[in-house]
Amino acid sequence: MSRLSLEDRQTIAAGLAEGRSYAQIARQIGRPTSTVSREVARNGHRDYDAADAQQTKRRRTCKRVTVAPANSAEDVQHAFITELASTLTATGMPRMASRVFASLATSTTDTMTAADLVRGLGVSPASVSKAIGYLEGIELVERHVEPGSRKERYGVGDDVWTRAVRTDSSGHASVADVADRGIALFGDESPAGIRLAHMGRFFASLTEQLRGSNLADPTVDDAMTIVAALGHTRHRMTRAQLATTLEWSPRRLDDALQQLRQHPVFADPFTVHENNAGYCLQARPDRLSAQQHAALQKLTASTDDQ
């Protein structure tokens, strides 16, 4: 009988979470009931985790062999997802929220259902629901409802980090406000008041830096998307073509183009050149010296002659 796969262990975890018996789970994965009972006993019934059980089995196997076989692509990808989740947890994100976010961020599809996450992570629906609620609260996950259906799907949007910065900015301002109230409560010369004053100044400064940098403005992300689109096409595009290709409203396009006019640095080392025919990217002339310009022109002429 072959060893249990990660998929088998995920099925076991999902079955336990749904309250199914060992015999029912065994029939589902085509194994003896004793195989399931031993697997759960080795890795804990109440907190059985498919990913942890797979890692534990891999470590036991490595100890028994002299030369370990090369990792499969699936194993390498799983190891990366585990590392990403652990890294997020180390920043203070709850463990289950980190695992759910890592799964969504590395998914081969744009979105996943709660059932997909339950099967993939081998955890209970309640755990996934709680993690999704947390991630939505800090705007790291978007909820979508399929047209003509009540089924909800979850994904990581392209502008997730812009929105996360905005959320952080608001959160930092709230901390500064609470610190100010604490100073009034404890007294500005008390030990607590002095500590709260330091905290308030730090978070107030951080808020100003985030807001002043324009990173929290969603139109900044849109401006750089226009630069990417023009760089991808390598030819001039009209306003109508940009709006249609990017699926933006005229108002959204205007706001992004205004950002590029006010802050050309967003397109660096290019500039967005505009005329009656539309928009295109042009290299900034001040980025290259006269010698570099001459060398590039010589190279271009040589390439054209071939």
Side-chain angles (χ1 to χ4, degrees):
M1 180 71 70
S2 61
R3 298 189 184 96
L4 289 173
S5 65
L6 176 59
E7 184 177 355
D8 291 334
R9 291 188 167 94
Q10 289 169 341
T11 301
I12 291 173
L16 292 173
E18 294 170 6
R20 280 180 278 169
S21 68
Y22 291 166
Q24 290 173 317
I25 298 172
R27 284 195 294 272
Q28 187 174 356
I29 63 175
R31 304 289 182 129
T33 303
S34 59
T35 298
V36 176
S37 62
R38 284 196 301 270
E39 169 68 14
V40 175
R42 278 195 298 263
N43 296 284
H45 181 280
R46 292 177 181 241
D47 56 352
Y48 181 84
D49 185 290
D52 288 348
Q54 182 78 356
Q55 291 281 38
T56 300
K57 177 61 178 179
R58 188 178 291 115
R59 286 194 294 270
R60 286 200 300 265
T61 302
C62 289
K63 290 179 180 179
R64 289 199 298 264
V65 298
T66 302
V67 179
N71 289 334
S72 67
E74 181 182 354
D75 287 340
V76 173
Q77 291 173 359
H78 176 71
F80 170 78
I81 295 170
T82 301
E83 180 185 1
L84 175 58
S86 298
T87 303
L88 293 170
T89 301
T91 68
M93 184 182 289
R95 180 171 179 268
M96 186 52 63
S98 298
R99 295 181 64 195
V100 168
F101 182 83
S103 295
L104 291 171
T106 58
S107 173
T108 56
T109 58
D110 290 337
T111 59
M112 298 176 69
T113 65
D116 293 334
L117 291 164
V118 167
R119 286 193 298 271
L121 296 172
V123 297
S124 68
S127 297
V128 169
S129 178
K130 184 177 180 180
I132 288 292
Y134 171 86
L135 292 168
E136 284 187 309
I138 58 175
E139 298 193 42
L140 285 182
V141 162
E142 297 176 336
R143 183 189 299 253
H144 306 272
V145 179
E146 295 181 356
S149 169
R150 298 180 61 185
K151 184 180 293 185
E152 295 179 335
R153 303 185 69 87
Y154 307 95
V156 177
D158 293 337
D159 63 342
V160 62
W161 301 115
T162 302
R163 290 186 286 108
V165 169
R166 291 203 307 271
T167 302
D168 276 352
S169 178
S170 300
H172 295 152
S174 298
V175 173
D177 290 341
V178 171
D180 286 342
R181 294 202 302 272
I183 294 169
L185 176 64
F186 293 101
D188 56 4
E189 295 184 359
S190 68
I194 293 172
R195 287 193 295 269
L196 289 169
H198 285 303
M199 183 173 75
R201 284 195 297 271
F202 172 80
F203 281 100
S205 174
L206 192 58
T207 301
E208 286 302 315
Q209 291 177 36
L210 285 172
R211 289 176 176 172
S213 67
N214 285 328
L215 288 176
D217 191 337
T219 60
V220 172
D221 191 64
D222 285 350
M224 289 187 279
T225 298
I226 290 177
V227 174
L230 293 174
H232 182 76
T233 58
R234 299 185 181 181
H235 60 73
R236 194 172 294 276
M237 295 181 71
T238 65
R239 290 173 55 82
Q241 288 172 331
L242 279 169
T244 301
T245 302
L246 300 176
E247 298 182 341
W248 289 354
S249 66
R251 171 71 177 275
R252 183 175 179 180
L253 181 63
D254 286 341
D255 289 344
L257 289 170
Q258 185 62 23
Q259 277 284 7
L260 288 169
R261 295 186 191 101
Q262 294 177 348
H263 307 284
V265 69
F266 293 148
D268 190 57
F270 299 95
T271 59
V272 176
H273 183 260
E274 176 182 356
N275 61 24
N276 292 335
Y279 303 84
C280 68
L281 287 186
Q282 291 184 349
R284 282 182 53 177
D286 58 336
R287 279 291 178 191
L288 298 171
S289 67
Q291 292 83 354
Q292 290 169 334
H293 272 293
L296 287 170
Q297 289 174 347
K298 182 178 180 181
L299 176 63
T300 302
S302 174
T303 304
D304 291 341
D305 291 339
Q306 293 178 358

